Amino acid sequence: MTEDQIRELFREMRDEPVPPDSQARVRMAVAERTESWREKLRPRWNRHWKWIAAALVPACLLLVMVATREEKIAVPPPVVHPPAIAVVEPPAEVAAPLPPPPHRVRRVGHRAAKPPREVASKGATLIRIETPDPDVVILLVGG
Amino acid sequence: MLEAALMLEAHREVSNSFDQIVHQRETCVLRTAYRILGNWADAEDVAQEVFLRLHRHGLTFDTDAAFGSWMYRVTVNLCLDKTRVRTTRPSVEIPDLPSKDLSAESSVIRDQEKQRLMAALDALPPRERAAIVLREIEGLSTAEVAVIMGSAEATVRSQVAKAIARLRNILSREAR
């Protein structure tokens, strides 16, 4: 088959009729689907969704703003009370002043006195010489 | 009340115009889809989808050519999607050569030749098939086919030339 023959056959195919039952099936299916409420709404939605969105977005923003503002208004303002003037009545009897609390004095533990040395107790003589300076005492221990 | 009646009337007008479009274009859409896909059941599915898309989007076109171009583009794209989904390619069985018997009616011979050509067409890669269907069967110009298929005119020319060469090969191989 030559190229021209192929092209000629294609040209003939152009005019071939489409089976009528195929056409009818397509028509019916399209009609059925376009009649459903979803398909009815869809074209309108597809055409107008931009406008709907353009209207809804500012409306929502406004709603949010109003809602937050109302919340602010709903919070009761802090009540400022007038300064209370206390009427202080003089006491009928002047109570005796309480004794001041005793000062807590920390007791410093004294060291236990050391027992005298054994050296002294073994019959050793102890001579105590006191100097004019009261802080200086000379002790002489003899055997 | 009046507004509702007007809206209903407008809807009816839209519906009527849509029905008219379906009536006018269904042959063209079905035929193109059938030539690309090779069977009527798939072609019907594609045609339904094309018209539903048109209905959903409620598109308006400035010119008839623009509308035709959109319709062909959607048809071809849906057909190519369908061929991609097909996991197995239908086996191509080229019918026997028409008998050379002179007594046989010429129309029968012609029909057989067309069947062979259709079977050979099915063996082509999908894009080449689409290009040759639009260019040779639908009779569109190369520029129009290029717009529909979203490719360059040179590509379309090359696809058509390759497709015809392949068809000649397939048919001559069978003739031997």
Side-chain angles (χ1 to χ4, degrees), chain B residues 32-63:
Chain B
T32 309
Y34 169 68
R35 298 297 178 206
I36 298 174
L37 293 168
N39 70 79
W40 286 109
D42 286 347
E44 283 169 24
D45 288 347
V46 165
Q48 275 180 41
E49 192 54 41
V50 171
F51 291 120
L52 278 175
R53 283 192 184 186
L54 180 69
H55 183 265
R56 278 175 199 163
H57 296 291
L59 300 172
T60 48
F61 298 91
D62 297 334
T63 58

Side-chain angles (χ1 to χ4, degrees), chain B residues 107-131:
Chain B
S107 66
V108 175
I109 296 169
R110 213 68 180 151
D111 282 348
Q112 283 176 340
E113 279 177 345
K114 280 177 197 169
Q115 277 177 13
R116 290 181 70 235
L117 188 57
M118 271 299 289
L121 202 61
D122 214 26
L124 297 180
R127 284 192 78 83
E128 277 184 22
R129 207 183 319 156

Side-chain angles (χ1 to χ4, degrees), chain A residues 3 6-10 12-14 16 18-19 22-23 25 27 29 33-34 39 42-43 46, chain B residues 23 26-27 30-31 35 40 44 48 52 55-56 110 114 117 136-137 139 164 167-168 171:
Chain A
E3 201 178 308
I6 290 172
R7 284 183 198 275
E8 202 186 318
L9 279 175
F10 276 140
E12 282 178 22
M13 281 181 184
R14 198 179 300 171
E16 276 182 0
V18 171
S22 271
Q23 278 183 331
R25 268 198 293 273
R27 236 177 267 176
R33 286 175 73 177
T34 51
E39 291 296 335
R42 213 191 279 252
N46 285 340
Chain B
H23 281 256
E26 67 185 348
T27 310
L30 261 172
R31 193 178 50 214
R35 298 297 178 206
W40 286 109
E44 283 169 24
Q48 275 180 41
L52 278 175
H55 183 265
R56 278 175 199 163
R110 213 68 180 151
K114 280 177 197 169
L117 188 57
E136 299 296 333
I137 301 180
I164 288 188
L167 287 174
R168 279 189 63 194
L171 293 170

Side-chain angles (χ1 to χ4, degrees), chain A residues 43-73:
Chain A
R44 285 183 195 175
W45 170 252
N46 285 340
R47 226 174 294 152
H48 302 301
W49 73 269
K50 282 177 192 169
W51 298 110
I52 294 169
L56 272 179
V57 169
C60 286
L61 281 174
L62 201 71
L63 207 70
V64 168
M65 280 170 67
V66 167
T68 50
R69 203 177 169 192
E70 271 177 4
E71 266 176 25
K72 277 179 190 169
I73 290 164

Side-chain angles (χ1 to χ4, degrees), chain A residues 54-137:
Chain A
L56 272 179
V57 169
C60 286
L61 281 174
L62 201 71
L63 207 70
V64 168
M65 280 170 67
V66 167
T68 50
R69 203 177 169 192
E70 271 177 4
E71 266 176 25
K72 277 179 190 169
I73 290 164
V75 174
V79 181
V80 181
H81 293 288
I85 301 163
V87 180
V88 182
E89 288 179 10
E93 288 179 5
V94 179
L98 288 170
H103 288 290
R104 282 190 180 176
V105 180
R106 227 175 79 193
R107 293 184 71 188
V108 180
H110 291 284
R111 282 188 183 175
K114 283 183 182 175
R117 289 186 182 176
E118 275 184 23
V119 184
S121 62
K122 284 179 184 174
T125 54
L126 179 71
I127 299 160
R128 181 186 171 97
I129 303 164
E130 286 188 359
T131 59
D133 188 352
D135 292 333
V136 181
V137 175

